[in-house]
């Protein structure tokens, strides 16, 4: 599981892209527990921490989904395509489920950690 979601070249490439998107270039995960318990840099607020946790779950899902597509349907996703999938799915999930957080698509793409909490 750790190899599939963290260590294989496809997973590493996607995590590198996601971390760059979030301006967290020096941050990394050492194991699955750290990843899925919402591990984050210490300077994130609770609302941003929740967003980051959602993004980590969507990224894990995207890696797993693309791995299955490659294995069973011989369709291989590229890093930019997978990042786009993570951005779209996480935006849709968060924007539909949260009434307290307000943000626009362009803001999400440019700086997802700058979201207004209206709670």
């Amino acid at each position: 599981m750790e190899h599939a979601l963290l260590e294989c070249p496809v997973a590493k490439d996607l995590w590198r892209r996601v971390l760059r998107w979030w301006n967290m270039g020096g941050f990394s995960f050492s194991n699955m527990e750290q990843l899925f318990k919402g591990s984050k840099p210490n300077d994130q607020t609770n609302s941003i921490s929740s967003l980051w946790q959602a993004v980590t779950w969507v990224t894990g899902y995207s890696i797993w989904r693309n791995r299955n597509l490659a294995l069973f349907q011989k369709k291989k996703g590229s890093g930019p395509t997978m990042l786009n999938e993570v951005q779209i799915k996480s935006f849709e999930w968060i924007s539909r489920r949260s009434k307290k957080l307000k943000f626009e698509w362009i803001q999400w793409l440019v700086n997802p950690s700058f979201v207004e909490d209206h709670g």
Side-chain angles (χ1 to χ4, degrees), residues 11-29:
K12 279 185 176 182
D13 179 60
L14 182 57
W15 284 114
R16 183 181 49 79
R17 290 171 189 277
V18 168
L19 291 169
R20 189 175 338 132
W21 167 46
W22 272 70
N23 296 316
M24 296 177 1
F27 190 68
S28 65
F29 306 106

Side-chain angles (χ1 to χ4, degrees), residues 51-112:
L51 294 177
W52 175 244
Q53 186 173 27
V55 169
T56 62
W57 282 92
V58 171
T59 303
Y61 164 78
S62 181
I63 293 167
W64 197 260
R65 180 181 170 280
N66 280 282
R67 181 176 288 284
N68 285 337
L69 287 173
L71 183 63
F72 298 115
Q73 297 179 14
K74 307 298 183 221
K75 295 179 183 177
K76 187 175 179 183
S78 67
T81 302
M82 290 172 67
L83 175 61
N84 188 255
E85 179 180 293
V86 168
Q87 291 170 322
I88 291 169
K89 289 189 182 306
S90 59
F91 176 82
E92 289 175 346
W93 184 17
I94 294 165
S95 64
R96 287 189 172 99
R97 294 186 55 97
S98 177
K99 293 182 171 116
K100 293 195 283 183
L101 299 174
K102 303 295 180 198
F103 55 100
E104 301 294 325
W105 171 244
I106 295 299
Q107 179 186 8
W108 183 245
L109 289 177
V110 174
N111 191 352

